[in-house]
Amino acid sequence: MVPEPRPADHALTAAWVDAHGQCTIHVLQPRPGTVLVRVAGEIDLATARKLDEVLQAHVGPAADEVVVDLGAVTFFSVAGLNSLLRARLLADTAAARLTIETEGSRAVRRLFALLPSENLSSTR
C-alpha cells in the first residue's frame, strides 16, 4: 500500500510536468528514510527518461525505501518498464527496498502481467 504522507511532516522534494502536460512526477518524503514517487499520465519514450532520472536520484543510499505509485498512469510503455527494471537493480545494489504500486492503473497492470513475477515485484 502506498504510504500516505502526514500533512504536518511530509515534504514535496521535487515536481515535474512534461512540456505537453501528459505526465507529472511528484517526489515526496512521507517519513524519514522513505521516498514516494507519484507518477500520473503517460510514460512513453520521452517521459521515461525523466522517470529514470528521478528514480536514479532517489533509489539508493538516500532512502531505505522507495515507493513508486503508478496508480494514475494511463499509458505505460516498455521504456517505462525499463526504467523500473534499472531502479530495481539500483535498489538491489544499495540494499534498499523498491515497491511498485500499480493499483488503479490498468495500463501498467496489463504490461506487468506479461512478466515473470520474479523480475519486478509490485503490490496490486
Side-chain angles (χ1 to χ4, degrees), residues 45 48 53 63 65 74 76 79 84 94 96 117:
L45 186 58
E53 289 175 24
E65 179 179 23
T74 57
F76 195 72
L84 296 178
S117 61

Side-chain angles (χ1 to χ4, degrees), residues 47-111:
T47 57
R49 289 184 184 115
K50 185 61 178 183
L51 180 60
D52 250 349
E53 289 175 24
V54 169
L55 293 175
Q56 287 180 24
H58 292 92
V59 172
D64 300 325
E65 179 179 23
V66 176
V67 178
V68 183
D69 179 3
L70 301 174
V73 171
T74 57
F75 177 81
F76 195 72
S77 73
V78 173
L81 179 62
N82 285 331
S83 294
L84 296 178
L85 290 170
R86 282 188 287 276
R88 167 64 66 210
L89 289 172
L90 284 171
D92 289 348
T93 301
R97 180 177 172 176
L98 178 71
T99 304
I100 311 297
E101 175 62 51
T102 62
E103 182 141 0
S105 177
R106 197 170 132 194
V108 176
R109 287 194 322 270
R110 190 171 54 226
L111 186 58

Side-chain angles (χ1 to χ4, degrees), residues 4 7 10 23-24 27-28 36 39 41-42 44 51-52 65-66 78 81 92 95 100 106 111 114 117 120 122:
E4 284 301 319
H10 76 281
C23 179
T24 61
V27 180
L28 302 133
L36 171 59
V39 184
E42 299 179 4
D44 56 18
L51 180 60
D52 250 349
E65 179 179 23
V66 176
V78 173
L81 179 62
D92 289 348
I100 311 297
R106 197 170 132 194
L111 186 58
L114 301 173
S117 61
L120 191 62
S122 68

